[in-house]
Amino acid sequence: MKTSLLLSGGMDSICVAWWKRPELAVTIDYGQAAAQAEVMAARAVCAQLGIEHHLIRVDCRELGSGDMAGREADAAAPASDWWPYRNQLLVTLAAMKVISLSAVKLYIGTVRSDELHRDGTVRFVELINELLQYQEGGLQVEAPAIAMSTWELARTVSVPPELIAWAHSCHKANLPCGNCRGCNKYEASMFELGYACVP
């Protein structure tokens, strides 16, 4: 009866790792521009917290859009960082892995600001949970921080600054660009937490 986490290496999923202490974590390199830095951050956090870490590599670059793919956003994109059905893809891939490792629950690090995209809404989490519960294995998907902002989450769970310092939030590169939505969110959250931040 294990719990698991889709761990991107960003601030939100790192906070959930600290908070929920799952037995397993899965990071996915799907061809995103910042994959190397995200994997490094996730590995470091898992090593520090004693979480069993698994890496999945699936090349989806041909399906990418926007900042995360290093190309123009798709015509249907509501924002420059939109990658079509990305969270649906990532949850599905993570579920495929953790179900084979006897997990019964998969946490995802969705927070309130993610509702800019439909796959960051409460309704999406309900639907993807219902779908996986319907299928063999009955894996439960939970977004425990979905009602909180990133800085509210970090403050509520008292994540240590040295752990959150590992976070990589940039959407465009392995080194923070300082001008994407991910970097802006990181800077704003660090400011709210009272930490000095240089992107």
Side-chain angles (χ1 to χ4, degrees), residues 96-117:
M96 292 168 72
K97 180 64 178 180
V98 302
I99 200 70
S100 70
L101 299 170
S102 303
V104 296
K105 182 177 289 187
L106 175 64
Y107 294 117
I108 58 176
T110 304
V111 294
R112 189 171 60 232
S113 62
D114 294 334
E115 66 185 4
L116 172 67
H117 304 300

Side-chain angles (χ1 to χ4, degrees), residues 5-8 10-17 19 86-88 90-91 106-126 128 141-150 153 181 185:
L5 169 66
L6 176 54
L7 179 60
S8 70
M11 295 180 79
D12 305 323
S13 60
I14 287 175
C15 288
V16 174
W19 179 18
R86 184 179 72 100
N87 284 355
Q88 185 174 339
L90 299 181
V91 170
L106 175 64
Y107 294 117
I108 58 176
T110 304
V111 294
R112 189 171 60 232
S113 62
D114 294 334
E115 66 185 4
L116 172 67
H117 304 300
R118 287 194 179 176
D119 62 6
T121 62
V122 171
R123 182 63 178 141
F124 173 82
V125 175
E126 291 172 346
I128 199 75
V141 177
E142 185 177 322
I146 200 164
M148 293 181 266
S149 68
T150 298
L153 168 61
R181 200 168 72 92
K185 174 181 166 180

